[in-house]
Amino acid sequence: MPLDTSTYDLALLRVDGRRWNELRRLDGQIRTQAAADGSSYLEMGNTKVMCVVSGPSEDKRRGQTSASTATGSNAADVAVSVVVAGFSSVDRKKRGRGDKRIQELQTTISKALASNLHTHLYPRSTISISLNVLSQDGSLLAALINASTLALIDAGIPMTDYLVACTAGSTSSYAANDDRADPLVDLNNQEEQELPFLTMATLGATDKVAVLVCESRVQVSRLEGMMAAAADACKGVRDFLDQVIREKGHKMVTEGTIEKGASMAIEIDA
Amino acid sequence: MTSLKRASEAGPFSSNISSKTYVRSTKSGKVQKIVREVYLRQDIPCSSKICSKCLAGAPRSAAGTVSPFVLSDKPAGSKAYPQGHYLVPDTNALLNAMDLFEQSSAFFDVIILQTVLEELRNRSLPLYNRLIGLTKSEEKRFYVFFNEFRLETYVNREHDESINDRNDRAVRRAVKWYNEHLAQTKAKKLPVTVMLTDDRGNLEKAKKEKVPATTLRDYVAGLQEADRLLDMIAESQERGLSRDKKSADFLYPEYYSMSKMMTGVKNGMLHQGIFNLSPYNYLEGSIKVPAFPKSLLVLGRDNINRAVDGDVVIVEVLPQDQWKEPSTKIIEEEAITKNENADGDEGGDIVTEQEKKALQEQVKKTQGLSTEGRPQPTAKVVGVIKRNWRQYVGHVDQSSVSQSARQGRKQESVFLIPMDKKVPKIRIRTRQAGELLGKRILVTIDSWDRESRHPVGHFVRSLGEVETKAAETEALLLEYDVQYRPFPKTVLDCLPKEGHDWRVPTSTEDPGWKDREDLRGLLICSIDPVGCQDIDDALHARPLPNGNYEIGVHIADVSHFVKPNNAMDAEASIRGTTVYLVDKRIDMLPMLLGTDLCSLKPYVERYAFSVLWELNTSADIVNVRFTKSVIKSREAFSYEQAQLRIDENSQQDDLTKGMRTLLMLSKKLKQKRMDAGALSLSSPEVKVQMESETSDPIDVKTKELLDTNSLVEEFMLLANISVAGKIYEAFPQTAILRRHAAPPKTNFDELANQLKVKRGLELRFDSSKALADSLDECADPAEPFFNTLIRVMATRCMMSAEYFCAGTQAYPEFRHYGLASEIYTHFTSPIRRYADLVAHRQLAAAIDYEPMHPHVRSRGRLEAVCKNINVRHRNAQLAGRASIAYYVGQSLRGRVAEEDGFVMKIFSNGFVVLVPRFGIEGLIRLRDLADPEPESVFDADGYKLTTSGSRDVSVELFMKVRVRIQDVKDEATGKRGAKMELVRAG
Ligand SMILES: [Zn+2]
């Protein structure tokens, strides 16, 4: 097995060879499924997710399995469902639909998106977002939010700005209590297991925080550095998403909007 | 290693991403495949001070700092590399010779490759940690180069390539890169980067690829102190080069494969446990396994099969016709294998003629008894799961050194006889045999192969002349792994700036006074042994208007000075306890705290942590509370002084009255504990009196116990129990507690039988109460010591008490058997025990004095702390005892003492005598009784040995005997020890 996160100090290198402020390899595509209203595929390192958006459509009875923001108001309801494939993680544990963690993910995403989308334009309707996790290697919530943003843009639903997310952690564990610890961004699974971390989503290039989730114990003194690193990383993610959209737009303009036999090129490493 | 295809070529790293696949097997036996991304980069510096290019592009931390470059621009050279060199060891070089790399005189400017670091971590965590320690040392200049992340030095595993070959290639690639990279700097004097490896294949390939490489041995041979350093290279590794030349004859059975052992253990056919060697017979071991109530016996070299005391081994039970009785005979390795030749080890039988003879006799004895039908199951070792090898102190067996080696510099094999009798002698190869004779030396065991009768090790360093105080003391500290180096600067930096001038702030507005009660008005005193400087505890008592008493136990507030997780705390947690030797104390905390600022010295104000009870006249607790406080002790008594003052009727002051109250209540508390079944166990405690000027011991006295000893003890127990309850209530998962498990019933079988046969006494041991009561009945009106003797023997049947984290045990398991208390912890000695310091922090949090530091709250960390302090605690006890034994020996030097002793163990060819006055045990063998050795008849069931012929004596178990004790040096082994002779029996 490789070394653990404690060797960071030796050469300022993380377990996978990145520096503290580097994102993993990002790969994104939109309109991966021509039949859907909006769709996307996103890889952040080995975390791979895809997203399909349908709607806005007239209100039907929602299924039990998705989180929604319906409050009986005159705004569209944002219904999010997350399905985690059994093969997506090393232990191949099957997560049921009622799994608490998944429900929490759904709620968080749903609330964040509802605040960003102009839902008041679609009263009494539902925007359904269905997310599939194909492979997990840390920063799952961030990847899901980013994929949703891409698919929602593809679906043409008006929004304030890109909602972009990234994780940030700290190079030393809570117990080690090292004040000189560096913050780090876009954690992989091993880092999430060993280090304290948070997930942050911001609106576009602003530092406006839409989501902040931190489930690990961390000294308050380190939090500020972690949040600043996360905000910077979100900007990097935004630039990337923007580039994906622009490239696709450029292609659609030059090649026409309809792609014959468009299919998604995913490789699943099972 | 596979390379993933990528969906798109976009992204900042697209051309530089690889991924690694690892296979991991889980506890439940599943196999998992883990794929990890690896980002390859070109900004990992070489860290050589001659390279300005790397410095310009060096990485920065989040704070913007650049790590300073490590490798010297003028590294040392050697004959082969006069222009200077950087060293790149491979994994085996580090595994075999870490001691060498830690030398302060050689091995500077070393590049540790990530490939090597990863391999080392998988092979040996302790060595990995030592290496990480080296990389932090500024003088040694060790640099970790992350070659697996650098684009130019990363290598992909080929299809038909083994992982080892791939890693070797990665090392060669990195060495080559270093040389090419440094050449670009165009420095005038260009150091060579040299690979150190002992793998022949790797060396040959390096030669072909023109990568500078050498064996560790060749490299060391070119250094200045080659002779000393060469001895430190593991023996086995050199043979690694020649192993394939001839297949040696195997002396020991082969170990089973790991999978065979695991399957066997799973289906109950094999058993895992810790191997223990008998202290009286080096050919007899025992192993306790979960499946059986009693230990399994492991007899003879073949069956012991290279297991060393403390190893975790797998055993297989032998067929019933090979079951035997535990030996009734003393067999000492030194005596039997005295004349073995260290060099002529190969070939031959592992069981020597002498050993065969000894065994035959034993079989006869056992079979003679088999009609009695008590043979016990025996087993053989079929594999070792984990070696418990450490570094051993010992001396070179004179007889194994040839005459020529005493003068010349020829390398030869010699035997090292370890101080620890349970460790077999170790064969080491050395060029300095002549110089090592008569020295205490430190060695490690490297391996024990099937073709070698004895384990093979290598020299680490010399401690000095045998029997000089410095060498013997250091030997003792090393043997018990006591951290005795002076406190480093980082630790001393944590001390209060004021030093000895520190005072309790005069203004009660000072933050130090926050939430502290002012108890300066109470008449508090401390009672300790004479000359005690680190005063942990002080007490007071005063009557209350309602007829009850207020009792206070005040403990030094160490946690005020030692904050969690600073350097001082880390050091204390490693040391775990203060170690008391006869003439030396190795402190857990720096002197300034232990003997001054924390110590509850008289007449000065001190911070304390107080436990305050209201007790009624029958010593029942009416209520209890805990508070941080400021106290002022009125007097520091010795036990004797306190006793005199209490007994002196003319003393009618309030302080003395308070002490009388304490004494009265302590007696009631003690009675209550005894009624609940607390055990009063004992081992004879001995005090060595020193003549102050020369600090040579002049006399040995058994410690006297006064009422005041028990006074202090009772209230400390009460405080510990009260605190245990409080912290458990506040932190049911993480409270640090101390438990003493009930001993397995079978532990007492033998003692019970002995008492029944010899004295017609019945030992009941179904509860601690029953045991306590029946121990009280084990008395001999004619011989007051008999009861103590039985208690000493009963103590050895007990489990040892241990620290634990509350969440790891169910509540019933918390019980302290010896003290008959449901729950217990250590709170009263924070100056000298780390557990108490943790308990202080937890109690402070429990009473909302301060928030709990994460360090004290993390259960994983606390479990690690408990594990460490349990070991430290035990080692400290053993070291203390060994120190006393050494001084008892020294005090006997040059004189002969005649003393009373008691027979506590009896064998067919000797017996063990305990001498209460000195607290020592000695073995008297048949051959010590007379020359020629007398004939003997051994009645195993009657525990009686009768000799005839050259001397007629009859010795029985528990018998009082008169012995002559003398300090003798064994000329053959150069070992000194107290030797006993029987003057008369009965
Ligand atoms: Zn360089």
Side-chain angles (χ1 to χ4, degrees):
Chain A
M1 292 304 292
L3 302 168
D4 63 20
T5 51
S6 66
T7 56
Y8 176 81
D9 282 341
L10 293 175
L12 305 177
L13 283 165
R14 292 160 63 175
V15 283
D16 56 5
R18 282 183 292 156
R19 298 289 176 201
W20 66 275
N21 56 353
E22 285 172 355
L23 296 172
R24 286 179 285 180
R25 172 184 53 84
L26 290 168
D27 179 35
Q29 296 164 49
I30 59 168
R31 188 148 300 181
T32 48
Q33 296 179 28
D37 292 328
S39 55
S40 69
Y41 170 73
L42 182 75
E43 289 184 9
M44 296 177 80
N46 277 338
T47 297
K48 303 174 185 181
V49 299
M50 64 186 192
C51 179
V52 173
V53 171
S54 53
S57 53
E58 259 180 74
D59 231 347
K60 296 165 281 186
R61 287 216 64 80
R62 279 177 290 106
Q64 304 281 320
T65 60
S66 57
S68 77
T69 54
T71 49
S73 70
N74 276 339
D77 174 21
V78 180
V80 175
S81 83
V82 175
V83 176
V84 178
F87 55 77
S88 69
S89 64
V90 177
D91 53 8
R92 294 184 169 244
K93 206 194 290 168
K94 192 101 186 120
R95 289 199 181 273
R97 289 180 167 256
D99 186 288
K100 282 274 180 319
R101 279 203 65 77
I102 291 176
Q103 284 186 350
E104 211 174 316
L105 281 174
Q106 290 176 165
T107 312
T108 310
I109 298 166
S110 156
K111 282 196 177 143
L113 292 173
S115 65
N116 183 35
L117 296 171
H118 293 183
T119 51
H120 58 276
L121 299 175
Y122 310 102
R124 287 175 301 283
S125 56
T126 300
I127 302 167
S128 316
I129 297 165
S130 141
L131 287 153
N132 271 280
V133 180
L134 304 174
S135 168
Q136 298 186 58
D137 188 18
S139 301
L140 181 61
L141 173 60
L144 291 171
I145 291 174
N146 295 332
S148 309
T149 298
L150 282 178
L152 286 163
I153 292 170
D154 183 32
I157 296 170
M159 58 175 80
T160 330
D161 203 339
Y162 288 96
L163 182 69
V164 285
C166 193
T167 49
S170 178
T171 52
S172 106
S173 66
Y174 175 65
N177 196 15
D178 178 1
D179 291 331
R180 291 157 305 156
D182 272 354
L184 37 85
V185 304
D186 192 17
L187 281 75
N188 66 23
N189 187 47
Q190 189 189 359
E191 291 173 323
E192 283 190 356
Q193 300 293 323
E194 296 173 16
L195 301 172
F197 74 101
L198 54 80
T199 304
M200 182 194 267
T202 61
L203 278 183
T206 69
D207 280 342
K208 231 167 136 187
V209 176
V211 174
L212 183 60
V213 180
C214 180
E215 291 171 328
S216 32
R217 208 191 275 273
V218 64
Q219 276 80 6
V220 177
S221 58
R222 287 197 242 166
L223 199 61
E224 193 184 332
M226 285 165 66
M227 286 174 63
D232 284 344
C234 284
K235 287 199 186 91
V237 174
R238 186 211 168 264
D239 292 346
F240 168 75
L241 297 190
D242 194 49
Q243 185 194 338
V244 171
I245 303 286
R246 281 178 200 282
E247 268 173 20
K248 186 70 182 179
H250 182 71
K251 242 185 181 163
M252 283 160 73
V253 170
T254 53
E255 297 168 12
T257 48
I258 299 158
E259 291 166 275
K260 289 249 165 63
S263 69
M264 188 177 55
I266 328 168
E267 279 149 61
I268 298 162
D269 303 295
Chain B
M1 219 127 312
T2 54
S3 185
L4 290 182
K5 271 189 264 166
R6 283 170 296 280
S8 94
E9 290 302 313
F13 302 110
S14 54
S15 58
N16 298 344
I17 305 168
S18 182
S19 72
K20 284 189 163 186
T21 316
Y22 301 92
V23 177
R24 165 172 85 183
S25 58
T26 63
K27 274 185 199 155
S28 57
K30 276 187 201 158
V31 175
Q32 295 180 336
K33 182 173 144 188
I34 296 168
V35 180
R36 291 240 162 98
E37 280 184 311
V38 177
Y39 291 84
L40 302 178
R41 50 196 323 133
Q42 288 177 281
D43 64 353
I44 298 174
C46 63
S47 203
S48 165
K49 285 184 179 157
I50 60 171
C51 176
S52 52
K53 197 173 143 206
C54 285
L55 190 62
R60 288 166 187 277
S61 74
T65 50
V66 175
S67 318
F69 275 26
V70 175
L71 302 169
S72 163
D73 48 356
K74 293 184 202 72
S78 65
K79 271 177 227 154
Y81 308 101
Q83 67 278 53
H85 55 255
Y86 297 149
L87 299 170
V88 184
D90 73 353
T91 315
N92 280 320
L94 292 171
L95 278 170
N96 290 327
M98 186 61 82
D99 301 320
L100 209 50
F101 285 88
E102 286 171 338
Q103 286 299 302
S104 56
S105 60
F107 288 89
F108 299 104
D109 300 298
V110 178
I111 299 163
I112 302 296
L113 299 179
Q114 181 188 6
T115 315
V116 170
L117 197 63
E118 283 180 12
E119 272 194 306
L120 190 68
R121 189 172 190 272
N122 291 336
R123 300 277 295 276
S124 162
L125 206 51
L127 286 179
Y128 168 83
N129 287 330
R130 279 163 70 183
L131 186 60
I132 293 290
L134 275 177
T135 65
K136 306 229 158 101
S137 147
E138 277 174 34
E139 302 90 64
K140 292 293 284 179
R141 302 189 297 274
F142 275 49
Y143 172 63
V144 180
F145 178 66
F146 280 75
N147 61 315
E148 303 274 351
F149 292 155
R150 175 127 194 165
L151 187 64
E152 298 92 333
T153 52
Y154 176 80
V155 301
N156 250 319
R157 185 171 157 197
E158 307 288 346
H159 259 307
D160 47 358
E161 194 174 34
S162 75
I163 292 179
N164 284 339
D165 285 347
R166 182 262 167 205
N167 286 347
D168 286 348
R169 193 156 59 84
V171 174
R172 293 197 302 274
R173 168 82 69 92
V175 173
K176 194 169 184 175
W177 176 82
Y178 252 97
N179 283 314
E180 289 166 2
H181 174 81
L182 292 176
Q184 289 171 6
T185 62
K186 307 210 169 58
K188 277 190 210 102
K189 212 174 152 197
L190 200 62
V192 189
T193 307
V194 186
M195 176 170 76
L196 293 179
T197 180
D198 285 305
D199 184 293
R200 206 165 45 171
N202 199 5
L203 272 173
E204 274 166 17
K205 281 182 196 154
K207 209 179 215 173
K208 229 178 272 166
E209 295 164 16
K210 300 211 165 44
V211 173
T214 175
T215 62
L216 195 53
R217 199 163 277 276
D218 286 348
Y219 173 72
V220 174
L223 295 176
Q224 283 206 329
E225 309 167 276
D227 283 342
R228 188 175 66 85
L229 297 177
L230 276 173
D231 282 354
M232 302 175 66
I233 300 178
E235 165 70 9
S236 54
Q237 150 248 351
E238 192 188 27
R239 286 194 318 191
L241 282 174
S242 59
R243 178 165 293 162
D244 35 26
K245 278 184 196 154
K246 69 162 199 198
S247 67
D249 296 317
F250 296 126
L251 296 171
Y252 290 99
E254 193 176 4
Y255 289 147
Y256 289 0
S257 72
M258 192 51 91
S259 61
K260 184 172 176 186
M261 290 196 284
M262 286 301 122
T263 328
V265 169
K266 221 177 232 172
N267 63 28
M269 301 311 288
L270 300 176
H271 305 278
Q272 181 176 333
I274 296 173
F275 180 77
N276 287 309
L277 198 72
S278 156
Y280 299 108
N281 180 348
Y282 80 103
L283 294 176
E284 175 184 316
S286 66
I287 174 169
K288 182 96 189 72
V289 300
F292 308 115
K294 263 193 162 176
S295 296
L296 292 169
L297 283 178
V298 185
L299 299 174
R301 262 192 203 280
D302 264 323
N303 290 332
I304 291 175
N305 196 5
R306 295 169 279 155
V308 176
D309 189 69
D311 288 348
V312 179
V313 300
I314 302 285
V315 294
E316 183 172 37
V317 176
L318 290 171
Q320 195 163 359
D321 56 353
Q322 294 178 39
W323 291 9
K324 282 180 190 149
E325 262 201 90
S327 130
T328 54
K329 201 169 156 139
I330 308 148
I331 303 182
E332 288 171 317
E333 182 178 24
E334 267 170 53
I336 288 193
T337 64
K338 198 154 39 186
N339 302 321
E340 263 174 19
N341 183 354
D343 264 328
D345 205 42
E346 315 299 316
D349 232 345
I350 40 165
V351 186
T352 60
E353 278 303 309
Q354 293 99 311
E355 281 176 9
K356 259 190 202 156
K357 250 171 87 185
L359 225 106
Q360 293 308 314
E361 276 177 50
Q362 199 184 322
V363 171
K364 262 186 244 157
K365 286 257 153 60
T366 323
Q367 283 177 345
L369 294 164
S370 62
T371 41
E372 301 295 321
R374 288 192 310 179
Q376 284 182 19
T378 53
K380 63 173 181 186
V381 173
V382 297
V384 175
I385 297 294
K386 191 169 166 282
R387 291 291 191 185
N388 189 35
W389 293 345
R390 52 183 172 92
Q391 296 193 323
Y392 300 97
V393 181
H395 66 272
V396 171
D397 183 355
Q398 278 184 14
S399 57
S400 70
V401 180
S402 68
Q403 274 307 322
S404 60
R406 292 183 193 206
Q407 289 110 35
R409 286 245 163 243
K410 193 179 127 254
Q411 189 183 33
E412 71 168 328
S413 286
V414 297
F415 280 129
L416 178 110
I417 300 176
M419 280 171 69
D420 186 346
K421 277 197 164 180
K422 291 181 171 186
V423 178
K425 47 186 183 183
I426 301 163
R427 193 157 57 101
I428 58 172
R429 284 179 75 76
T430 177
R431 280 188 175 76
Q432 34 180 357
E435 284 154 46
L436 293 182
L437 273 178
K439 298 259 171 60
R440 277 268 170 253
I441 59 173
L442 187 67
V443 302
T444 45
I445 299 187
D446 298 312
S447 65
W448 195 347
D449 293 332
R450 290 174 63 197
E451 64 267 24
S452 169
R453 182 176 296 131
H454 299 279
V456 175
H458 70 266
F459 166 83
V460 177
R461 69 189 167 93
S462 165
L463 310 180
E465 294 284 330
V466 167
E467 285 192 56
T468 54
K469 200 150 77 184
E472 294 298 334
T473 306
E474 193 180 359
L476 210 138
L477 295 172
L478 281 167
E479 213 30 37
Y480 296 105
D481 197 18
V482 176
Q483 310 286 313
Y484 58 95
R485 295 204 169 77
F487 287 101
K489 188 174 172 299
T490 47
V491 169
L492 299 176
D493 284 346
C494 300
L495 293 169
K497 298 283 165 292
E498 302 89 335
H500 288 283
D501 295 326
W502 181 90
R503 298 280 177 276
V504 169
T506 39
S507 158
T508 51
E509 301 300 311
D510 189 279
W513 273 87
K514 192 181 157 282
D515 293 335
R516 274 185 200 276
E517 272 182 54
D518 185 352
L519 303 181
R520 288 176 294 182
L522 293 174
L523 295 178
I524 293 170
C525 68
S526 61
I527 309 176
D528 289 284
V530 182
C532 177
Q533 288 179 301
D534 42 355
I535 304 174
D536 280 302
D537 52 87
L539 304 121
H540 86 275
R542 62 175 180 187
L544 292 172
N546 64 1
N548 289 346
Y549 297 100
E550 178 193 84
I551 307 293
V553 164
H554 312 274
I555 306 297
D557 190 5
V558 177
S559 65
H560 173 84
F561 295 95
V562 185
K563 296 295 180 210
N565 206 30
N566 66 16
M568 186 154 62
D569 182 55
E571 182 74 23
S573 79
I574 292 167
R575 295 190 176 210
T577 173
T578 293
V579 180
Y580 294 87
L581 303 184
V582 170
D583 60 336
K584 202 179 167 99
R585 189 184 68 212
I586 296 102
D587 289 315
M588 179 180 88
L589 292 170
M591 285 272 275
L592 176 66
L593 291 186
T595 60
D596 189 0
L597 305 194
C598 290
S599 177
L600 301 179
K601 298 197 299 188
Y603 330 122
V604 290
E605 294 174 8
R606 285 286 177 252
Y607 284 153
F609 208 155
S610 302
V611 183
L612 300 162
W613 298 273
E614 182 180 342
L615 297 187
N616 63 20
T617 44
S618 36
D620 298 319
I621 299 176
V622 179
N623 62 54
V624 56
R625 65 191 186 89
F626 310 91
T627 180
K628 291 253 183 168
S629 59
V630 177
I631 63 161
K632 186 173 174 184
S633 168
R634 296 298 192 270
E635 198 61 67
F637 294 110
S638 69
Y639 290 118
E640 293 79 6
Q641 286 169 336
Q643 190 70 50
L644 285 173
R645 181 130 175 192
I646 289 172
D647 294 345
E648 177 58 58
N649 279 329
S650 64
Q651 297 274 5
Q652 286 301 334
D653 57 294
D654 285 343
L655 181 61
T656 314
K657 280 184 190 162
M659 284 158 68
R660 290 195 186 116
T661 306
L662 288 169
L663 186 64
M664 177 272 289
L665 290 170
S666 75
K667 286 184 173 161
K668 292 183 177 171
L669 285 169
K670 182 164 189 177
Q671 190 54 49
K672 276 199 266 189
R673 280 200 311 117
M674 293 303 157
D675 292 346
L679 296 169
S680 145
L681 297 170
S682 60
S683 44
E685 282 202 63
V686 171
K687 190 175 164 54
V688 180
Q689 281 196 337
M690 308 279 271
E691 200 171 357
S692 52
E693 274 162 47
T694 56
S695 101
D696 275 330
I698 47 162
D699 198 11
V700 184
K701 275 190 178 162
T702 314
K703 277 187 191 165
E704 217 182 327
L705 287 180
L706 300 168
D707 274 352
T708 42
N709 287 76
S710 134
L711 180 163
V712 175
E713 192 185 328
E714 286 307 321
F715 284 105
M716 294 307 126
L717 292 176
L718 192 65
N720 286 335
I721 292 169
S722 294
V723 169
K726 181 71 182 176
I727 59 176
Y728 174 61
E729 176 195 299
F731 308 108
Q733 284 300 309
T734 51
I736 188 164
L737 300 175
R738 189 167 171 81
R739 65 193 278 265
H740 181 211
K745 304 270 180 275
T746 52
N747 282 16
F748 290 105
D749 284 352
E750 188 169 6
L751 181 60
N753 190 48
Q754 290 170 345
L755 281 169
K756 199 163 122 201
V757 171
K758 298 309 292 180
R759 297 287 166 116
L761 292 166
E762 191 195 357
L763 187 72
R764 294 181 312 277
F765 41 82
D766 29 300
S767 71
S768 64
K769 173 90 180 116
L771 182 62
D773 290 346
S774 61
L775 279 176
D776 287 340
E777 288 159 22
C778 288
D780 181 346
E783 184 43 67
F785 187 77
F786 175 69
N787 186 264
T788 313
L789 177 71
I790 301 304
R791 286 181 199 276
V792 169
M793 291 172 74
T795 307
R796 300 198 178 163
C797 303
M798 297 282 172
M799 311 290 284
S800 42
E802 61 176 11
Y803 297 107
F804 70 104
C805 202
T808 58
Q809 301 281 347
Y811 189 79
E813 304 297 318
F814 287 12
R815 205 177 153 70
H816 197 292
Y817 180 83
L819 297 174
S821 175
E822 254 176 53
I823 188 166
Y824 193 66
T825 192
H826 270 164
F827 173 76
T828 51
S829 303
I831 296 177
R832 56 186 179 87
R833 288 189 307 230
Y834 190 73
D836 303 54
L837 182 53
V838 176
H840 273 235
R841 289 175 183 154
Q842 294 186 337
L843 184 65
I847 60 168
D848 293 325
Y849 173 80
E850 62 188 5
M852 180 88 111
H853 188 276
H855 224 61
V856 195
R857 186 158 42 185
S858 145
R859 181 167 144 185
R861 227 200 86 77
L862 280 169
E863 281 174 35
V865 165
C866 288
K867 203 172 153 189
N868 179 51
I869 53 184
N870 282 328
V871 173
R872 298 290 175 194
H873 196 81
R874 184 165 169 70
N875 282 347
Q877 280 180 330
L878 294 175
R881 270 182 224 159
S883 166
I884 289 175
Y886 172 70
Y887 275 98
V888 168
Q890 289 295 303
S891 72
L892 287 168
R893 219 167 155 174
R895 63 192 180 115
V896 182
E898 251 193 47
E899 285 293 333
D900 284 336
F902 295 85
V903 178
M904 64 186 304
K905 207 167 169 65
I906 198 151
F907 298 97
S908 63
N909 61 343
F911 49 94
V912 178
V913 176
L914 173 73
V915 178
R917 165 113 194 274
F918 297 144
I920 55 171
E921 283 164 45
L923 183 63
I924 300 181
R925 286 159 297 208
L926 281 182
R927 62 182 157 87
D928 303 328
L929 289 176
D931 196 20
E933 185 176 319
E935 297 287 305
S936 70
V937 179
F938 179 51
D939 173 7
D941 295 322
Y943 302 103
K944 190 170 177 179
L945 182 66
T946 313
T947 69
S948 55
S950 52
R951 186 166 176 184
D952 293 329
V953 278
S954 175
V955 179
E956 318 180 32
L957 193 67
F958 304 140
M959 182 188 250
K960 184 172 178 175
V961 293
R962 190 79 181 160
V963 290
R964 186 177 299 129
I965 308 163
Q966 200 173 356
D967 186 53
V968 178
K969 188 167 173 180
D970 185 332
E971 286 309 323
T973 61
K975 205 169 169 177
R976 186 179 285 277
K979 189 171 168 66
M980 288 189 195
E981 276 173 66
L982 186 70
V983 178
R984 63 173 181 274

